[in-house]
Each structure stands twice: as structure tokens, then as C-alpha cells.
Amino acid sequence: MMAADQTLAGVPSSLSAKVVGSFAYLTVRDRLPTILTKVIDTIHRNKNKFFEEYGEDGIQAEKQTISLLSKLRNELQTDKPVLALTDGLPDTESWNQYLNRQQRLQGDQESVSWFKSAWLYVECYMYRRIQEALLLNPPISDYDVFNEGKTQSFFESQQAVMALCTYLEGVKKNIDELSRNQLFEHFNKLLLVSLWGNKCDLSISAGQENSQKTSPLDSLSSLQPFILVDDSSMVWSTLISAQKPGESGKTTADRVDIVLDNAGFELVTDLIFADFLVSSGLARRIYFHGKSFPWFVSDVTANDYQWTIRQTMATNHKWMSKSGFQWQTYLKEGVWSYHDHPFWTQPHEFCDMAADAPDLYATLQGADLVLFKGDLNYRKLTGDRDWDHTVAFNTALRGFGPAPLCSLRTLKANVQVGLQSGQGEKLTSQDPSWMTSGKYAVIQFYNSKSE
Ligand SMILES: O=P(O)(O)OC[C@@]1(O)O[C@H](CO)[C@@H](O)[C@@H]1O
Ligand SMILES: [Mn+2]
């Protein structure tokens, strides 16, 4: 039995709000209550809508949901014990087992609570409790409390989206004549656009809008110095070496999986990159992995995914609309498909996936490359632990490696591995908030098969 904060040999402890003043502490103390308050306000603002749709039941549901969320906010702010879930969803048991696991880790001296336990766990748990509050009030159970922010991010980024779709159209027009070097140039640009699309995330901004106003293609070179690890050439060579003749006679990699992060502008950058991968013949199929309920304010759900493609189709911008129709065709043909396994909205570190979600692990093993978008995925890849910055990426992965994988992440949490000796210290002296500002990024690759 491990003592309270004793961890597996050589594995550092989980980031936690128990470290007063840490980013985890500031998130749990300030940002999470702010997000909860915005959720409560959003539900209250839609009271009339619920009444119109559901009559008195809608009013009752609104009141009940707000009372449950206010209770949750009070539990959080007063560091009450984390409670078992009661909504009887298929994953409820898994969540409650994970709570027991956390309790065993901490020992029975203190209960699992917001300011004493792992930050990754309590933050994920908060979003699952928001979902429980809605599920316990059926008339409004399928209401997406984060929808307004996600759609606003899309609408505010229209200039950037139009510029990207126009660029993509130009690339696709004569794509068969492009040399491999030219293909690599476009690959690199659109990979970087997808990487920096991750800056637009509403949970770091606690819901403040932070959409992309200008064309991201214009700023790629100025952003290059802020990329701390750049394994893009390894991503490219993995795709090239995976090329094999398909039924159509075209040589392509079979499948690239994109574990999505945020809706709005970031999702469009992912769809554009995926379109390029298929149009260029670098990949035959794309699996998109999204969330099965609203998560971390701006993460992609099936509704967001379908809505974004419909909106892109419906625009009166020629190349944007053409892209939207192409994406709908990819879905109809099975070239693209959307998947939302419950594991992505659970609190587990990814090194647990093989044991706790073997079906999902097996699915990812079928990919030639898995791209993980964003900061929360990076935190789960590395277990959200207090690693030294020079620890190797695959050490932090702790055996997770279903396929060649790459994290495309802007830094918004104080966990970062795989840096050169002295690189972290230099960054801290130059820019103390480098790990949490979203200004810096990594393209970090690992191929377990190359060991
Ligand atoms: O995964 P994303 O969207 O890039 O970032 C989500 C996120 O901003 O939410 C948390 C703050 O509440 C951070 O730890 C984390 O980075
Ligand atoms: Mn996110």
C-alpha cells in the first residue's frame, strides 16, 4: 500500500492544488468556480427557452440544475470531499471506481477533495458533475451549456477560416503535379495551423472569447521561435514510410487518427489538415475522436462536429462552402468517420488506457499515426505529473504507445517533458509564465515501434 503521496518508483507525484500558488491551485481556486458561475448564468439566461419548450417542467429543471451546480461550486470552494456520482450512466461505475482508486492512493488519513487530490482528476470530475446535474433533470439533459462559446468561436473566426479554405483550394487544384518537397511544405504549414489553432481554447480563458481573427498562415514564421520541440519531420517520415498500394492502386498510409480538442476555429484547422492528408494521398482514411458530452468548455462533441461541417457548407464563401461539401462527402464515403469513446471523458492518464479501455487501445493500434490535439491530452499523455523537463517523452508516456503518436499542443499547464538540458530554466528566466500562457507549443512525437 503506497503512503499518501508516495508514488511508483521514479514516477513523480500528480500535479495538485495542494501546492498552494501552483497553476493547479489557481485553476481550482479561481478558474473552475468562474466556469461554474458562467454555466449557472447560462442556464438561468435560458429559463424562458426551457419554459417555451417544456412548460413548467422546464422551469423546474432549470431551478433544480442551478441548485445542483451551486452546491457543486460550494463543495469545490470549501474543499469538501469528492462525492460518488448518482446518475446511473454507463460510465458512472467507472467514475466511482476511479474515486475509490484515488482514495486508496491518498490513504485513509484524508478524503479525496478538490484542494488535496490530483488536479487532473478533480478538473475532469467537475465537468462530469456538470453533466450529472443536467442528466438528473431530463427535460434539459441534452442542453449544451458551452454551446454559445463554441459557436461564437466559429463565427468570430470566419476571416481566418475563409483564408484557410482558399489556401486549401489552391493546394488541391494541382495537387497531383506537386513534388514531394512541395507537398512537404504544404504539410508543414497546415500542421502548424492545426497546432496554433489550439490557442483558441475557452477553458484556459475561463470562457472569455479568444477566437482567431486574422489568417494564421501569415503568422507561422513569426511563431516558429515559440515551438519548443519540433518533431514535424518525424511525423512526415512516419506517413511516408506507411505508404502502401491500396485497392485504388494509389499508395497511401491507411489511417491517421486525430484525437480532437476544441470546437470552433481549432476544429476547422483540424478538418482542413485532414482534408489535405486525404487529398494529397498521404492517408486513405481519417478517424476523428471527440467527446461524448460537453467537456472542458470548448471540446468537440458529435453535435459540434456535425454543426461545424453544416455551417461550413452553408456559407456563401465559394471555397469554404466547397470544403464543407467535400467534408460531408468524405463522411458519406467512410473516408472520414467520427468516434466518441467514453474513455476520452474520463479522468484516466493515457498509460491506463490499455487496461481500462482495451477496446479503444485496440482501435488506436490500427492507425498509422495518432495526432493528439491540445493541452489536456498532453496532460493525460504524461499523467499530469511533476516531471523534470529533460525527462524523455516516452518515459512520461509510461508504456502508452498504441501507434506512432504526436502531440500538437500549446502549453497551458505546468507539465512539459522532452526539453534540452537548461531549456526550461532559460525559458523560466525569460518568460516565467511560459508553461501556462499558451504562447509556446510543442510538436512532440514518439513511435514505440522504433524502440
Ligand atoms: O486541452 P486544451 O483545450 O488545450 O486546454 C484545456 C485547459 O486549458 O484547461 C485547463 C485549465 O482549466 C488546462 O489545464 C488545460 O490546458
Ligand atoms: Mn480543450
Side-chain angles (χ1 to χ4, degrees), residues 164-166 168-169 172 272 275 309 312-313 318-328 330 336:
L164 287 174
C165 291
T166 305
L168 180 64
E169 175 60 21
K172 288 170 70 170
I272 284 175
D275 190 344
I309 291 178
T312 307
M313 290 165 69
K318 186 177 179 184
W319 304 131
M320 195 169 147
S321 170
K322 185 179 177 189
S323 295
F325 278 93
Q326 174 61 73
W327 301 345
Q328 187 189 54
Y330 284 148
W336 285 6

Short mmCIF file of all heavy atoms in Angstrom, two decimals, residues 164-166 168-169 172 272 275 309 312-313 318-328 330 336:
data_model
loop_
_atom_site.label_atom_id
_atom_site.label_comp_id
_atom_site.label_asym_id
_atom_site.label_seq_id
_atom_site.Cartn_x
_atom_site.Cartn_y
_atom_site.Cartn_z
N LEU A 164 -8.08 30.08 -44.94
CA LEU A 164 -7.55 28.70 -44.93
C LEU A 164 -8.19 27.86 -46.03
O LEU A 164 -7.53 27.09 -46.72
CB LEU A 164 -7.78 28.06 -43.56
CG LEU A 164 -6.89 28.57 -42.42
CD1 LEU A 164 -7.32 27.95 -41.10
CD2 LEU A 164 -5.42 28.29 -42.70
N CYS A 165 -9.50 28.02 -46.22
CA CYS A 165 -10.19 27.23 -47.25
C CYS A 165 -9.72 27.67 -48.65
O CYS A 165 -9.58 26.83 -49.55
CB CYS A 165 -11.69 27.39 -47.12
SG CYS A 165 -12.36 26.61 -45.64
N THR A 166 -9.44 28.94 -48.80
CA THR A 166 -8.92 29.44 -50.08
C THR A 166 -7.54 28.86 -50.34
O THR A 166 -7.24 28.38 -51.44
CB THR A 166 -8.86 30.98 -50.06
OG1 THR A 166 -10.17 31.48 -49.73
CG2 THR A 166 -8.40 31.54 -51.40
N LEU A 168 -6.37 26.05 -49.11
CA LEU A 168 -6.53 24.61 -49.36
C LEU A 168 -6.97 24.37 -50.80
O LEU A 168 -6.48 23.46 -51.48
CB LEU A 168 -7.54 24.02 -48.38
CG LEU A 168 -7.83 22.52 -48.49
CD1 LEU A 168 -6.59 21.70 -48.18
CD2 LEU A 168 -8.99 22.12 -47.58
N GLU A 169 -7.87 25.20 -51.27
CA GLU A 169 -8.36 25.07 -52.65
C GLU A 169 -7.20 25.23 -53.64
O GLU A 169 -7.04 24.44 -54.58
CB GLU A 169 -9.44 26.12 -52.93
CG GLU A 169 -9.93 26.18 -54.37
CD GLU A 169 -10.56 24.86 -54.85
OE1 GLU A 169 -10.96 24.05 -53.99
OE2 GLU A 169 -10.59 24.62 -56.08
N LYS A 172 -5.10 22.07 -53.54
CA LYS A 172 -5.76 20.87 -54.10
C LYS A 172 -5.88 20.97 -55.62
O LYS A 172 -5.93 19.96 -56.30
CB LYS A 172 -7.13 20.70 -53.46
CG LYS A 172 -7.05 20.22 -52.01
CD LYS A 172 -8.38 20.28 -51.29
CE LYS A 172 -9.37 19.26 -51.78
NZ LYS A 172 -10.57 19.20 -50.88
N ILE A 272 -9.34 20.91 -42.03
CA ILE A 272 -8.56 21.32 -43.21
C ILE A 272 -7.30 20.47 -43.34
O ILE A 272 -6.96 19.98 -44.42
CB ILE A 272 -8.24 22.82 -43.12
CG1 ILE A 272 -9.51 23.62 -43.47
CG2 ILE A 272 -7.07 23.22 -44.03
CD1 ILE A 272 -9.42 25.09 -43.33
N ASP A 275 -8.33 17.10 -44.56
CA ASP A 275 -8.66 17.14 -45.99
C ASP A 275 -7.38 17.10 -46.82
O ASP A 275 -7.27 16.34 -47.80
CB ASP A 275 -9.44 18.44 -46.28
CG ASP A 275 -10.04 18.47 -47.68
OD1 ASP A 275 -9.61 17.64 -48.52
OD2 ASP A 275 -10.92 19.30 -47.93
N ILE A 309 -19.49 21.32 -39.83
CA ILE A 309 -19.48 20.95 -41.26
C ILE A 309 -20.71 21.54 -41.96
O ILE A 309 -20.60 22.13 -43.04
CB ILE A 309 -19.40 19.42 -41.43
CG1 ILE A 309 -18.01 18.94 -40.98
CG2 ILE A 309 -19.68 19.00 -42.88
CD1 ILE A 309 -17.78 17.45 -41.04
N THR A 312 -20.13 25.24 -42.44
CA THR A 312 -19.12 25.48 -43.50
C THR A 312 -19.77 25.33 -44.87
O THR A 312 -19.52 26.11 -45.79
CB THR A 312 -17.95 24.50 -43.33
OG1 THR A 312 -17.46 24.59 -41.98
CG2 THR A 312 -16.80 24.83 -44.28
N MET A 313 -20.66 24.34 -44.99
CA MET A 313 -21.38 24.13 -46.25
C MET A 313 -22.28 25.31 -46.56
O MET A 313 -22.41 25.75 -47.70
CB MET A 313 -22.24 22.86 -46.16
CG MET A 313 -21.46 21.57 -46.13
SD MET A 313 -22.48 20.18 -45.59
CE MET A 313 -23.59 20.03 -46.98
N LYS A 318 -17.28 30.83 -51.54
CA LYS A 318 -17.17 29.73 -52.52
C LYS A 318 -16.29 28.59 -52.01
O LYS A 318 -16.71 27.42 -51.98
CB LYS A 318 -16.61 30.30 -53.83
CG LYS A 318 -16.58 29.31 -54.97
CD LYS A 318 -16.07 30.01 -56.24
CE LYS A 318 -16.01 29.02 -57.40
NZ LYS A 318 -15.42 29.67 -58.61
N TRP A 319 -15.05 28.90 -51.60
CA TRP A 319 -14.12 27.81 -51.26
C TRP A 319 -14.43 27.21 -49.91
O TRP A 319 -14.18 26.03 -49.67
CB TRP A 319 -12.68 28.34 -51.32
CG TRP A 319 -12.31 28.95 -52.65
CD1 TRP A 319 -11.71 30.16 -52.86
CD2 TRP A 319 -12.54 28.40 -53.96
NE1 TRP A 319 -11.53 30.39 -54.20
CE2 TRP A 319 -12.04 29.33 -54.90
CE3 TRP A 319 -13.12 27.21 -54.44
CZ2 TRP A 319 -12.12 29.11 -56.27
CZ3 TRP A 319 -13.18 26.99 -55.80
CH2 TRP A 319 -12.69 27.94 -56.72
N MET A 320 -15.01 28.01 -49.05
CA MET A 320 -15.38 27.46 -47.73
C MET A 320 -16.53 26.48 -47.92
O MET A 320 -16.51 25.36 -47.42
CB MET A 320 -15.79 28.60 -46.80
CG MET A 320 -15.84 28.24 -45.35
SD MET A 320 -16.03 29.75 -44.36
CE MET A 320 -17.01 29.08 -43.02
N SER A 321 -17.50 26.88 -48.70
CA SER A 321 -18.66 26.02 -48.95
C SER A 321 -18.23 24.75 -49.67
O SER A 321 -18.62 23.63 -49.32
CB SER A 321 -19.67 26.80 -49.80
OG SER A 321 -20.68 25.93 -50.23
N LYS A 322 -17.30 24.91 -50.63
CA LYS A 322 -16.82 23.73 -51.37
C LYS A 322 -16.14 22.75 -50.41
O LYS A 322 -16.33 21.53 -50.49
CB LYS A 322 -15.84 24.17 -52.46
CG LYS A 322 -15.36 23.03 -53.35
CD LYS A 322 -14.41 23.50 -54.44
CE LYS A 322 -13.90 22.30 -55.26
NZ LYS A 322 -12.80 22.69 -56.18
N SER A 323 -15.37 23.31 -49.46
CA SER A 323 -14.71 22.45 -48.46
C SER A 323 -15.76 21.69 -47.64
O SER A 323 -15.66 20.49 -47.43
CB SER A 323 -13.85 23.30 -47.53
OG SER A 323 -12.80 23.90 -48.24
N GLY A 324 -16.79 22.43 -47.20
CA GLY A 324 -17.82 21.80 -46.37
C GLY A 324 -18.49 20.65 -47.09
O GLY A 324 -18.66 19.56 -46.52
N PHE A 325 -18.80 20.84 -48.37
CA PHE A 325 -19.45 19.77 -49.13
C PHE A 325 -18.51 18.59 -49.32
O PHE A 325 -18.91 17.43 -49.27
CB PHE A 325 -19.98 20.28 -50.48
CG PHE A 325 -21.31 20.95 -50.36
CD1 PHE A 325 -21.40 22.33 -50.16
CD2 PHE A 325 -22.48 20.20 -50.38
CE1 PHE A 325 -22.65 22.94 -50.00
CE2 PHE A 325 -23.72 20.81 -50.24
CZ PHE A 325 -23.81 22.19 -50.05
N GLN A 326 -17.20 18.90 -49.50
CA GLN A 326 -16.21 17.81 -49.63
C GLN A 326 -16.14 17.01 -48.34
O GLN A 326 -16.09 15.78 -48.34
CB GLN A 326 -14.83 18.41 -49.96
CG GLN A 326 -13.69 17.37 -49.99
CD GLN A 326 -13.90 16.30 -51.03
OE1 GLN A 326 -13.75 16.51 -52.22
NE2 GLN A 326 -14.29 15.11 -50.59
N TRP A 327 -16.18 17.71 -47.20
CA TRP A 327 -16.10 17.02 -45.91
C TRP A 327 -17.33 16.14 -45.68
O TRP A 327 -17.22 15.02 -45.18
CB TRP A 327 -15.94 18.04 -44.79
CG TRP A 327 -14.71 18.89 -44.96
CD1 TRP A 327 -13.65 18.64 -45.78
CD2 TRP A 327 -14.43 20.15 -44.35
NE1 TRP A 327 -12.74 19.65 -45.71
CE2 TRP A 327 -13.18 20.59 -44.83
CE3 TRP A 327 -15.10 20.95 -43.42
CZ2 TRP A 327 -12.60 21.79 -44.42
CZ3 TRP A 327 -14.53 22.13 -43.00
CH2 TRP A 327 -13.29 22.55 -43.50
N GLN A 328 -18.48 16.63 -46.09
CA GLN A 328 -19.70 15.82 -45.96
C GLN A 328 -19.59 14.57 -46.84
O GLN A 328 -19.95 13.46 -46.42
CB GLN A 328 -20.92 16.64 -46.40
CG GLN A 328 -22.24 15.93 -46.13
CD GLN A 328 -23.41 16.65 -46.78
OE1 GLN A 328 -23.39 16.93 -47.99
NE2 GLN A 328 -24.41 16.97 -45.98
N TYR A 330 -16.76 13.06 -47.70
CA TYR A 330 -15.81 12.15 -47.03
C TYR A 330 -16.53 11.30 -45.97
O TYR A 330 -16.28 10.11 -45.82
CB TYR A 330 -14.70 12.94 -46.33
CG TYR A 330 -13.62 13.52 -47.22
CD1 TYR A 330 -12.98 14.71 -46.88
CD2 TYR A 330 -13.19 12.86 -48.37
CE1 TYR A 330 -11.98 15.26 -47.67
CE2 TYR A 330 -12.18 13.39 -49.18
CZ TYR A 330 -11.58 14.59 -48.82
OH TYR A 330 -10.58 15.13 -49.60
N TRP A 336 -13.77 9.65 -43.95
CA TRP A 336 -13.71 10.22 -42.60
C TRP A 336 -14.76 9.54 -41.74
O TRP A 336 -15.83 9.16 -42.23
CB TRP A 336 -14.03 11.71 -42.63
CG TRP A 336 -12.96 12.62 -43.16
CD1 TRP A 336 -11.77 12.27 -43.74
CD2 TRP A 336 -13.01 14.05 -43.16
NE1 TRP A 336 -11.07 13.40 -44.11
CE2 TRP A 336 -11.80 14.51 -43.75
CE3 TRP A 336 -13.94 15.01 -42.73
CZ2 TRP A 336 -11.50 15.86 -43.90
CZ3 TRP A 336 -13.64 16.35 -42.87
CH2 TRP A 336 -12.43 16.77 -43.45
#
